[in-house]
Amino acid sequence: MNKSINRRDFLKGAGVLAAASALPVSMVELVFADTTQNFSFAYISDAHLQQIKGTKFVNNWDRGLIRAVAETNLLTPKPDFILFGGDLAQLGKKAELDHGAEILSALRGNKVYHVMGEHDYYLDLGQYWETLFGPQYYSFDHKGVHFVVLNSILTYDDWTYKRWPTAEQRMLEMADLDNPNGSPFMVGDKQREWLKQDLAKISKTTPIVVVSHSPLQKIYKNWNFWTDDAEQVQALLRPFNKVTVLYGHVHQIQYNQIGNISFNSVMSTAWPWPYPSTYAQAEQYLPKLTVPMNRADPFFERDATGWQFINMANGNVDMRYNLFSNTSRTVAFNTKTGEPEDTVFQSPDKRIPPQTQY
Amino acid sequence: MHFEQLKFAVLWIVVTGLTGVLSAPAQADEFTQADLNRWQEQYAKVVKDGRELWTSSKLGSNGVACVQCHPNAANTHPETYPKFQKQLGKVAPMWEMINWCIRNPLEGKALAADDYKMIALQAYITEERRGVKLDPGKH
Amino acid sequence: MKACFSGASTITAISISLAAMATPLGLPPVPIPADNPQSPEKIKLGDKLFHDTRFSSTGQVSCATCHDAKKTFTDSPLPVSRGINKLKGTRNAPTVINAAYFHRLFWDGREPSLEEQSKDPMINPVEMGLPNHEPVLKLVRTDPEYVQAFKTVFGKSGEQLTMEEVKKAIASFERTIVAGNSPFDHYYFGGDKNAMTAAQIRGFKVFMDQGRCVSCHTVEQDQALFTDNRFHNIGIGINQMQKDVPRLAGEFLKAKMQGGDVDKAVLGNPKTSNLGRFAVTDTLDDMGSFKTPTLRNIAMTAPYMHDGSLKTLKEVVVHYNNGGVTRKGDRVNDFLSGGIRPLNLSERQISDLVAFMGH
C-alpha cells in the first residue's frame, strides 16, 4: 500500500480501526499539523447490565459490552484512554456494577474514565459507584485538550429525596425512559458553580470536551433526551473557541451544532432507541443535522448498537461509530461549514433506505 | 345491509335533504353518549393493562421489558402490519411479531392470539400510534 | 436434462439445466449477469473446463476434484479440501449447488461473483498450484477442442482469448447447478401435506420458531434459498483461538498492507483462516464471521462448517443449541454474532430438526 495517507483516508475506507491498527504510529502522526493536539480515545457507553438472579445476567446486554471491550483491545496504536459513558448497570445494583467493572477490567493498559448514568445512580445516589470509579464530576487535561466530566442526570431534590417510599422504587421510576413519574435531568447549581471555577483557569483557545450522560441540549423532554439547565451550561462554555459535548443515554446517533458548541452522541452496547421523531404523539427537536442511524433488525441482537473510536483532530472531534452487524458511520467536524457531518450520508440524496425508514 | 334497506336509506337521505328535517326513524345500531363513554372506558382499561404488561419485567423470563427498547411503543409501527417479517419467514400479523419478541429478547412463552394479554398489548401499541395512516406491508 | 438426487433428504433435489428451463419449485429465477448470458454451447464449454485436470500443476486436480457431482458437488467426507499432492487447505469445500444465488463467493466472500471465484483455486499453492494463469491460457489457446469451442461461444481466439472468457464459461456451467423442487418445497410451497414426515414437519416448526434457524437460513413466502447472503460469527474456529486474535489480526493486516495475498494466507494457515471475513474487509465487525451456506442437500455434504469440524447435522444443531459452542460450557468468543444464544431445544426437537434437514 504505497499511496500517501492523509487524514481523510485515515478516517474512511477499509475500516479505519483496522487501517489504524496496521499503521506504524509515525505514519499516523505525519498527517497532522500539530501532533501535540492529535490523539484518539475510545468511548463505550450504556451497557445496561441487568441482573436476573444471583450470578445470572441478561445475556444480550452482556454480549454487547464484552464485544466492545474485545474490539477496543484490537486498536493499535492504542487509544490514549477510554471513556465509559454511563448506565453500566440497569437498576444500580452492586452486583450489576461489579459485573460491569469486571468486564471492563479486560480493557488492556488504558486508563478508563467513568461518567454517571441515571441507571447507576438512583438506587443509592451513586454511593457504590463512587467506591468503584471515583468522583461523580471532575476534569482532566490531555495533550492540550481540557476534558470535563459532569453528572448531568441529577434532578429536583423533592423528587430524589421525598417522593418515593423506597430507594428501589425511585430507581424503577427513573429506569423507564417514558415514565410520566420520572423527572427532568439537570446538572444543578452546585456543579455549574464548580464548572465555572474549573473553566476560569482555562485559556479561551484551549479546546474543551465536556462529557455528560444526558444531552446538554434539549431534544425531547418525555424521554429525558434533555437537560433542564442545558442553556445555563452552554452559556458557561460560550467563551471558548472550540467546544464539544459528548453524551450517551440516547442509544442512537445524534449530532448538532449550537453556536460554538458541537454535540455528538454515542451509541449503546445494549439496545437501540427509536428516534423521538418516530413517536406519533410527541413534539420533539431532533437536530436537523442528524442523519438517523439504520433501522435495526431485532434478530441480530447487536444490530444498531456499538461503540466509538474518537479522533481529536486539532481540537475538534471526529467520531467513528463502530456498529455491530451494520455499516459503520463516521461523523467528522467539517472545518468549512463549522458543523459535524456524516462523511458519507450527510446530503439528503446520499441517504439509504434504512436511514429514512422508521 | 340488504338491498331493500339500502334503497330505503337512499330514499330517506333524499327526503331529509329536501325537507331539511332531521327526523330519523329508530335504527337497529343506535347508541347513546353513555354507551360511547362506557365503551371508551372499557377500551382505556385494556390499553392501561397493555401498558402495564409493556413495562413489566414479568412478561418474559429474564426481566427484560418491552419498554426497554420501545418507549411509548415507538418503533413498533402497528400500522404496517400485516407485512413480510424476515424473522418469521412470511407475511405475518402483528401479534406474531409480538410473540417473536416475547420468545426472544424476553425469553418468555408465546401467547395465544386470543389471550387477553396479547389483546391488551396490541391495544396499547396501537393507541400510541393513533392518528398514523395505515400503511400495510411497509418496511 | 434433469437429475434428481433425492434420497430421504427433505430439502434436496438437484436439477441441472442445459438451457433455460422452468425455475424449480421453491427457488427464484437464477440471476444471470447481463454480460454473461447463458447458452448451451457456453455451458458445455464450462462443464469441460470445470472437469479439466490440466489446469493444475500436477495435472491431477480440477474444479471437480473438490466439487464432485457424485458427492453433491463437494469432496465429502473430507473435512478440508485436498489439492495438488494431497496438500490440505483450511476450509471445507462448499457445494456448487445454488451457488448461483450467492451475492459473494467463498466462505469469507472474498470474490464478488462466480466468474471471479473460478480463477482463484488454479493459482492457489494448496489447490491447483499453478504459478499464474499463463498455463491455462496456453492450453485454451492451443488445444483444438478449446480453440473451436471458444471461437463458437465467444468469437475469440489467440491473444484475444483471455481469462475473462474462461471465467465466464465456468460460471455459466455453475449457474445450471440448482436444487429446488424438493419434498420440503412440495410441502410448503406446493401444498402437499404428505410430502414430509411427521418428524420433518415438527422439525420445520422448530426451524422457523424456537430454533431461530430461519433468521439466517431464510425462507420466504414463495421461495427458500436457506441463506441470507450475510456473514456471521457463530463460534466455529475462533472460539479456540480467541487469545491469538490481537496478535494474528495485527500480523495479518501488516502482511496484507505489504502486498500479501489474502487467498493464499487464509488457505495456508488454519488460524488466519479463522479470522473469517475480517481478513477480507479489515472490519472488526467481521471478525470470525463466515457466509451463511444454503441448507439444500445438506444431509449429503458432511462434514459441516467452514472448517469441516462438525461431523454430523446433529453436532451442528447441538452447537447452536449450546449458544455457539460445540461442547456445552466452553467459552464462546467475544466477537460472537448477536442472535446466537442458547436455544433450550429438547432432544426430540433436535432430532426433528435433523430429520427436517434430511437425515
Side-chain angles (χ1 to χ4, degrees):
Chain A
M1 198 174 244
N2 287 324
K3 66 174 180 161
S4 68
I5 293 168
N6 60 33
R7 190 175 132 250
R8 203 41 71 189
D9 282 340
F10 174 63
L11 285 170
K12 62 163 200 201
V16 61
L17 302 169
S21 67
L23 291 171
V25 174
S26 59
M27 281 182 73
V28 178
E29 292 189 342
L30 267 180
V31 304
F32 300 122
D34 178 359
T35 53
T36 59
Q37 283 190 7
N38 287 282
F39 58 93
S40 65
F41 57 99
Y43 203 127
I44 304 175
S45 194
D46 291 82
H48 290 268
L49 303 179
Q50 186 172 352
Q51 187 185 31
I52 300 171
K53 204 178 176 184
T55 56
K56 274 190 77 182
F57 289 81
V58 174
N59 180 60
N60 190 346
W61 319 147
D62 275 11
R63 297 309 314 171
L65 184 59
I66 289 169
R67 184 162 174 178
V69 167
E71 292 193 358
T72 306
N73 280 341
L74 291 185
L75 297 174
T76 11
K78 279 193 186 310
D80 282 17
F81 56 86
I82 291 154
L83 265 157
F84 186 82
D87 286 356
L88 182 57
Q90 170 66 8
L91 293 174
K93 298 179 194 172
K94 280 185 182 175
E96 291 172 344
L97 292 167
D98 282 339
H99 187 52
E102 191 189 338
I103 294 174
L104 289 173
S105 72
L107 283 167
R108 274 199 292 264
N110 303 94
K111 164 89 180 152
V112 183
Y113 293 100
H114 281 265
V115 184
M116 181 72 83
E118 80 275 17
H119 288 261
D120 305 318
Y121 182 77
Y122 279 98
L123 184 63
D124 66 358
L125 306 183
Q127 263 182 26
Y128 190 63
W129 188 96
E130 277 189 347
T131 67
L132 291 175
F133 307 124
Q136 297 182 21
Y137 55 95
Y138 52 96
S139 65
F140 62 94
D141 294 291
H142 190 83
K143 293 188 180 168
V145 178
H146 186 64
F147 285 82
V148 180
V149 177
L150 297 175
N151 176 357
S152 67
I153 54 80
L154 301 172
T155 193
Y156 300 99
D157 284 352
D158 275 0
W159 194 95
T160 305
Y161 297 104
K162 296 186 184 152
R163 184 153 171 200
W164 307 107
T166 64
E168 285 76 16
Q169 190 178 346
R170 178 176 61 199
M171 181 67 253
L172 285 169
E173 296 288 354
M174 202 53 116
D176 281 351
L177 194 69
D178 63 357
N179 183 2
N181 290 335
S183 188
F185 293 150
M186 60 186 69
V187 171
D189 297 340
K190 191 176 145 201
Q191 256 184 105
R192 274 188 279 110
E193 187 51 39
W194 170 83
L195 178 61
K196 203 171 153 187
Q197 306 289 331
D198 183 77
L199 294 176
K201 304 169 285 207
I202 308 297
S203 131
K204 300 294 177 276
T205 56
T206 300
I208 310 278
V209 176
V210 180
V211 181
S212 62
H213 183 69
S214 59
L216 296 178
Q217 58 175 335
K218 293 179 169 174
I219 294 171
Y220 182 46
K221 192 169 190 176
N222 288 5
W223 295 352
N224 261 330
F225 289 11
W226 188 274
T227 302
D228 236 23
D229 51 357
E231 288 91 347
Q232 288 152 280
V233 178
Q234 289 172 20
L236 296 174
L237 301 170
R238 197 145 298 138
F240 294 87
N241 289 352
K242 285 177 182 170
V243 186
T244 305
V245 171
L246 299 173
Y247 59 94
H249 182 66
V250 296
H251 298 207
Q252 62 192 234
I253 294 175
Q254 295 177 355
Y255 47 97
N256 197 14
Q257 183 76 29
I258 301 176
N260 62 325
I261 309 174
S262 305
F263 293 84
N264 288 280
S265 73
V266 298
M267 301 289 288
S268 161
T269 60
W271 67 79
W273 261 329
Y275 282 94
S277 49
T278 65
Y279 178 43
Q281 315 306 332
E283 189 186 352
Q284 48 73 42
Y285 313 96
L286 186 71
K288 284 204 175 82
L289 261 182
T290 297
V291 176
M293 62 187 189
N294 292 0
R295 219 182 98 191
D297 177 343
F299 172 77
F300 299 106
E301 289 166 349
R302 300 271 59 74
D303 192 4
T305 67
W307 60 282
Q308 300 60 226
F309 173 70
I310 300 175
N311 189 46
M312 282 305 292
N314 293 323
N316 291 307
V317 161
D318 292 340
M319 306 282 293
R320 167 77 184 196
Y321 291 95
N322 215 61
L323 307 180
F324 308 131
S325 309
N326 215 316
T327 311
S328 289
R329 300 255 310 258
T330 299
V331 174
F333 187 82
N334 182 335
T335 48
K336 287 207 187 79
T337 59
E339 291 173 343
E341 286 175 3
D342 189 290
T343 54
V344 178
F345 301 112
Q346 192 63 41
S347 133
D349 58 324
K350 296 279 166 49
R351 313 265 160 102
I352 54 174
Q355 294 162 347
T356 52
Q357 254 89 339
Y358 46 86
Chain B
M1 192 183 262
H2 290 113
F3 184 63
E4 288 305 309
Q5 289 171 313
L6 179 68
K7 233 170 37 180
F8 173 77
V10 170
L11 182 65
W12 176 73
I13 289 164
V14 171
V15 169
T16 52
L18 283 173
T19 60
V21 176
L22 278 167
S23 58
Q27 296 287 309
D29 58 350
E30 186 175 276
F31 43 79
T32 65
Q33 191 59 43
D35 291 330
L36 290 175
N37 293 348
R38 197 174 67 256
W39 296 339
Q40 193 57 42
E41 280 164 27
Q42 291 177 359
Y43 168 71
K45 163 77 166 64
V46 178
V47 169
K48 188 165 168 288
D49 289 347
R51 166 77 191 179
E52 287 287 313
L53 293 161
W54 196 254
T55 55
S56 167
S57 57
K58 302 277 191 288
L59 186 60
S61 75
N62 60 0
V64 175
C66 306
V67 75
Q68 273 174 258
C69 294
H70 300 281
N72 290 114
N75 242 356
T76 52
H77 22 73
E79 77 282 7
T80 62
Y81 288 87
K83 69 176 168 195
F84 181 79
Q85 203 71 66
K86 52 184 201 164
Q87 299 81 4
L88 305 172
K90 63 179 181 181
V91 174
M94 184 171 62
W95 69 267
E96 289 198 53
M97 193 57 202
I98 295 174
N99 268 339
W100 187 92
C101 281
I102 291 176
R103 284 202 325 262
N104 291 289
L106 273 58
E107 298 182 45
K109 285 208 165 54
L111 301 170
D114 61 354
D115 188 309
Y116 175 73
K117 289 180 179 172
M118 179 56 83
I119 291 161
L121 285 165
Q122 288 175 90
Y124 171 66
I125 293 169
T126 315
E127 171 64 15
E128 288 280 33
R129 203 69 183 154
R130 66 193 177 278
V132 176
K133 86 174 175 34
L134 282 178
D135 209 349
K138 184 182 190 311
H139 279 271
Chain C
M1 186 171 98
K2 188 172 164 182
C4 278
F5 297 64
S6 67
S9 197
T10 329
I11 45 188
T12 301
I14 307 170
S15 58
I16 300 180
S17 58
L18 284 184
M21 60 168 274
T23 302
L25 185 63
L27 293 178
V30 173
I32 308 291
D35 66 351
N36 192 19
Q38 298 288 74
S39 76
E41 295 78 16
K42 195 192 283 180
I43 293 163
K44 205 175 149 203
L45 172 58
D47 189 343
K48 185 172 160 66
L49 292 161
F50 191 87
H51 290 88
D52 198 330
T53 56
R54 291 175 296 174
F55 300 138
S56 62
S57 63
T58 59
Q60 290 176 327
V61 178
S62 70
C63 306
T65 305
C66 302
H67 302 285
D68 183 346
K70 291 194 288 293
K71 297 171 181 173
T72 324
F73 293 93
T74 69
D75 52 13
S76 172
L78 294 179
V80 294
S81 293
R82 274 194 220 139
I84 52 160
N85 302 320
K86 303 267 185 258
L87 285 172
K88 274 209 266 183
T90 58
R91 291 182 182 168
N92 183 258
T95 180
V96 181
I97 295 167
N98 290 2
Y101 295 101
F102 281 128
H103 300 170
R104 301 200 65 90
L105 276 292
F106 287 126
W107 276 106
D108 53 19
R110 64 188 180 277
E111 291 291 0
S113 63
L114 287 172
E115 280 81 356
E116 292 310 309
Q117 184 278 332
S118 68
K119 71 185 192 305
D120 289 2
M122 296 170 185
I123 57 165
N124 188 290
V126 297
E127 295 186 287
M128 295 155 89
L130 295 178
N132 53 49
H133 286 113
E134 284 307 313
V136 179
L137 290 175
K138 197 175 165 197
L139 195 67
V140 295
R141 285 170 184 167
T142 54
D143 176 284
E145 278 184 44
Y146 279 132
V147 169
Q148 183 56 48
F150 275 98
K151 188 139 203 162
T152 308
V153 174
F154 296 100
K156 288 187 177 173
S157 60
E159 295 288 307
Q160 284 183 312
L161 176 52
T162 66
M163 281 305 292
E164 282 309 301
E165 290 72 36
V166 175
K167 294 187 299 194
K168 282 180 173 173
I170 295 174
S172 278
F173 167 66
E174 290 175 320
R175 286 198 178 92
T176 65
I177 303 168
V178 296
N181 205 23
S182 68
F184 161 75
D185 297 298
H186 287 281
Y187 169 82
Y188 197 55
F189 302 120
D192 177 1
K193 295 300 157 202
N194 298 318
M196 296 204 298
T197 67
Q200 288 171 336
I201 291 169
R202 288 194 307 271
F204 177 54
K205 191 170 159 32
V206 176
F207 187 91
M208 299 293 277
D209 293 346
Q210 198 177 333
R212 317 212 302 169
C213 317
V214 68
S215 292
C216 299
H217 298 287
T218 56
V219 172
E220 298 193 352
Q221 198 72 20
D222 54 4
Q223 55 177 262
L225 289 177
F226 292 101
T227 173
D228 60 354
N229 267 300
R230 290 178 61 167
F231 301 82
H232 306 283
N233 174 328
I234 58 168
I236 293 288
I238 193 168
N239 277 354
Q240 283 75 44
M241 50 160 274
Q242 157 119 359
K243 66 175 183 345
D244 299 323
V245 167
R247 180 183 55 79
L248 271 176
E251 284 172 9
F252 174 80
L253 286 172
K254 209 166 190 175
K256 189 175 170 182
M257 294 192 102
Q258 287 162 0
D261 184 324
V262 173
D263 190 70
K264 292 186 174 94
V266 297
L267 293 185
N269 180 332
K271 282 192 171 177
T272 306
S273 165
N274 285 333
L275 297 176
R277 186 156 172 75
F278 171 80
V280 178
T281 62
D282 306 346
T283 303
L284 294 176
D285 188 38
D286 288 322
M287 184 58 75
S289 70
F290 292 89
K291 190 173 67 181
T292 310
T294 174
L295 298 183
R296 290 184 177 273
N297 311 85
I298 195 72
M300 297 183 292
T301 66
Y304 303 105
M305 308 315 210
H306 75 268
D307 56 1
S309 60
L310 301 184
K311 289 189 190 64
T312 63
L313 286 173
K314 182 168 180 186
E315 283 180 30
V316 173
V317 175
V318 167
H319 176 89
Y320 284 116
N321 197 38
N322 292 343
V325 289
T326 302
R327 277 180 318 179
K328 205 169 188 162
D330 278 1
R331 191 174 187 279
V332 78
N333 80 90
D334 291 352
F335 305 94
L336 191 75
S337 284
I340 307 295
R341 61 161 171 79
L343 300 170
N344 300 314
L345 299 179
S346 66
E347 279 299 319
R348 158 91 172 255
Q349 285 174 307
I350 291 171
S351 64
D352 286 345
L353 199 44
V354 172
F356 166 65
M357 287 186 280
H359 196 51

